[in-house]
Amino acid sequence: MLKTAMRYSHELLSEVVVTGDHVVDATMGNGHDTLFLAQLVGENGKVDAFDIQEAALLATKEKLAPFPEKKAVHLHLDGHENVAEYLQEEKIKAAIFNLGYLPKSDKQVITLPQTTKKALDALLAHLLPKGRIVVVCYYGHSGGQAELDAIKTYCQQLPQKQYNVLAYQFINQKNQPPVLFCIEAK
Ligand code: SAM
């Protein structure tokens, strides 16, 4: 059976991320991806996870609590547009974004095209060869279509000599199914 965008995003990451890697969760939310990444990199790896809502940090902390891999995770109450300040000279193997709003929370707090693009610029500058950045765009909410358009254009304009870029979406589903983009550094 064809995979959902969420499931495919994890498969794309698990194909390249190994124990000890440094990775980024750009939109921590309830910590689903943060935990997944922590389990891929293991206790000796590093996950930098970002969100601008304290509720997201609390939910993620709670989700990670039973797992030894929590040692690898650094939770930042900050926008992903500031990711460069945290990475400094370090290279990363992968990053993930789930764009939209925190489920069951304030739908006014959404990711925005300008800050998402700033974060992508910064992450691409730190991405190792063969590394991947996965962006899953949920766009059914107000402002979502504009963000999807901006991210699609951003991805389409990345130079083919440096990056492979994939788009993945179910095109016969109702209610704006998410669109997944994967940028792979050559
Ligand atoms: N991946 C998450 C999970 O596993 O639950 C879901 C992420 S949710 C769709 C999007 C999240 O992005 C929200 O929690 C929201 O607060 C966060 N967000 C919005 N603007 C942000 C920014 N500039 N930097 C980091 N996170 C941001």
Side-chain angles (χ1 to χ4, degrees):
M1 194 153 148
L2 293 171
K3 295 169 185 87
T4 62
M6 201 275 278
R7 199 171 170 147
Y8 193 39
S9 70
H10 285 190
E11 185 168 318
L12 287 164
L13 294 172
S14 59
E15 282 172 1
V16 295
V17 176
V18 296
T19 311
D21 278 344
H22 184 178
V23 298
V24 170
D25 183 355
T27 53
M28 180 190 316
N30 289 318
H32 184 69
D33 295 323
T34 313
L35 173 59
F36 175 74
L37 287 172
Q39 290 177 326
L40 285 183
V41 301
E43 292 175 51
N44 297 322
K46 187 172 179 189
V47 183
D48 279 308
F50 294 84
D51 208 293
I52 54 173
Q53 298 192 70
E54 197 151 13
L57 260 80
L58 293 174
T60 301
K61 213 171 178 180
E62 203 173 310
K63 178 156 275 166
L64 293 169
F67 298 93
E69 293 90 347
K70 63 176 176 278
K71 279 189 359 201
V73 181
H74 301 250
L75 304 180
H76 306 294
L77 182 59
D78 199 355
H80 43 227
E81 59 275 19
N82 300 319
V83 63
E85 291 169 26
Y86 298 85
L87 294 179
Q88 298 187 358
E89 299 300 309
E90 295 172 57
K91 293 287 181 192
I92 58 159
K93 179 64 80 64
I96 186 164
F97 293 74
N98 271 272
L99 303 180
Y101 58 87
L102 181 61
K104 296 181 197 152
S105 183
D106 184 356
K107 290 189 185 169
Q108 306 301 315
V109 184
I110 54 170
T111 53
L112 298 169
Q114 280 315 316
T115 41
T116 302
K117 286 194 287 183
K118 189 175 173 199
L120 282 168
D121 282 342
L123 289 165
L124 285 176
H126 289 265
L127 192 63
L128 286 164
K130 312 284 179 223
R132 291 177 179 172
I133 298 177
V134 176
V135 184
V136 183
C137 293
Y138 293 87
Y139 66 102
H141 58 285
S142 169
Q145 183 67 53
E147 184 167 46
L148 172 62
D149 294 345
I151 301 310
K152 186 175 181 188
T153 303
Y154 181 97
C155 287
Q156 284 172 328
Q157 289 174 349
L158 289 171
Q160 190 181 344
K161 278 197 171 168
Q162 285 171 261
Y163 303 104
N164 296 315
V165 189
L166 170 87
Y168 180 86
Q169 185 190 28
F170 289 93
I171 56 172
N172 67 335
Q173 288 182 355
K174 290 180 192 155
N175 302 326
Q176 291 115 329
V179 185
L180 177 154
F181 299 100
C182 180
I183 305 167
E184 180 182 66
K186 288 192 177 177

